[in-house]
Amino acid sequence: MALLALALLAALVTAVLVRRGTLRWAGACALVAVATLSAGAIELTRDVVTDNGAARFDPTALNWVVPHRRGWLTALATTVTDLGATTTMGAVAIASCAWLAWRRRWAESAFVASAAVGAAVIGSVLKPAVGRDRPPPLDRLVAVAHPSFPSGHTLGATAVVGALTVLVLLSPARRAVKLTVSTAAAIFVVAVGLSRLYLGVHWFTDVLAGWCLGALWLIVCLIGYRIATRARPSGPASPRPARR
């Protein structure tokens, strides 16, 4: 509750700054999102460590999922989880960065690389730090070896797919294209998280933390990207024609 109060306070302060003209709406939304997602991530981590709060409902969620498994759903969940795997997202990020670098879009390439590398680092640091056990082996449909919190698949997919989606949204593409890409990306990121719960390799709070941390890191990278692109010189000015 204290963290929620802090997030609400941050939103109130941001609204006042916007009202006074000190802060623009884009920056205000980014700050509120960072404050809210940070509070959510901290709260989820605390719940998991203390086995309290939202973590108390994890067994209930898993116990509901297991009896509803079906053959075709298992095949679909396995495919989706493979597409959202860390290695797959890493390959997508590398290919995207290479293509952007080939087109000399250095800032965009750095943006995608930062999102991907940062997500991997966050997951690799938090997993051993929290050290949460995964669901019981009898409930798992795929083999896993690392600690459970947060979901690395969900975290990586949110950051990498989110970064590529942001570049599409900031491009001069048509509105229909932007809407299609953003909708497909959102569905995919949600599906990756749910597939981890369905396969019995993560608790629901692991997935929630993956979405939360992935979105948080994506926004941080986006803020850095926008600052870098606005500070980038537009090139030498064209010489004025001489007066006769």
Side-chain angles (χ1 to χ4, degrees):
M1 292 299 293
L3 292 173
L4 179 59
L6 287 176
L8 292 175
L9 179 61
L12 178 61
V13 171
T14 303
V16 172
L17 292 176
V18 171
R19 181 78 174 177
R20 293 184 175 181
T22 308
L23 193 64
R24 293 183 178 180
W25 277 110
C29 292
L31 288 178
V32 171
V34 167
T36 304
L37 291 170
S38 298
I42 294 172
E43 187 70 26
L44 284 170
T45 305
R46 186 172 64 182
D47 289 347
V48 167
V49 171
T50 60
D51 195 21
N52 201 353
R56 292 182 298 175
F57 299 99
D58 281 335
T60 303
L62 183 62
N63 290 335
W64 184 88
V65 168
V66 172
H68 289 84
R69 287 170 174 167
R70 300 292 183 270
W72 66 273
L73 273 177
T74 300
L76 178 61
T78 303
T79 301
V80 170
T81 209
D82 288 342
L83 291 174
T86 304
T87 52
T88 306
M89 288 295 99
V92 170
I94 291 172
S96 301
C97 290
W99 182 77
L100 290 168
W102 180 70
R103 299 196 62 184
R104 298 183 182 278
R105 296 170 60 179
W106 307 113
E108 289 85 348
S109 180
F111 170 56
V112 175
S114 299
V117 173
V121 171
I122 291 170
S124 63
V125 169
L126 281 180
K127 280 181 178 291
V130 176
R132 189 186 198 186
D133 292 333
R134 291 185 184 264
L138 291 177
D139 292 330
R140 304 177 199 170
L141 297 181
V142 293
V144 286
H146 303 291
S148 187
F149 183 90
S151 168
H153 283 61
T154 309
L155 171 58
T158 303
V160 174
V161 175
L164 296 176
T165 303
V166 165
L167 293 182
V168 173
L169 293 177
L170 295 177
S171 73
R174 295 182 178 180
R175 183 177 299 178
V177 173
K178 294 180 179 181
L179 179 60
T180 301
V181 170
S182 57
T183 302
I187 292 173
F188 175 73
V189 169
V190 171
V192 169
L194 294 181
S195 72
R196 303 304 286 168
L197 176 64
Y198 177 91
L199 295 173
V201 292
H202 278 294
W203 304 103
F204 189 52
T205 46
D206 300 337
V207 175
L208 285 177
W211 285 327
C212 192
L213 290 167
L216 174 60
W217 179 243
L218 174 62
I219 293 174
V220 171
C221 292
L222 177 59
I223 292 173
Y225 167 71
R226 295 296 285 176
I227 292 174
T229 52
R230 287 179 180 177
R232 185 172 52 188
S234 57
S238 302
R240 295 181 178 180
R243 294 181 179 180
R244 293 184 180 181

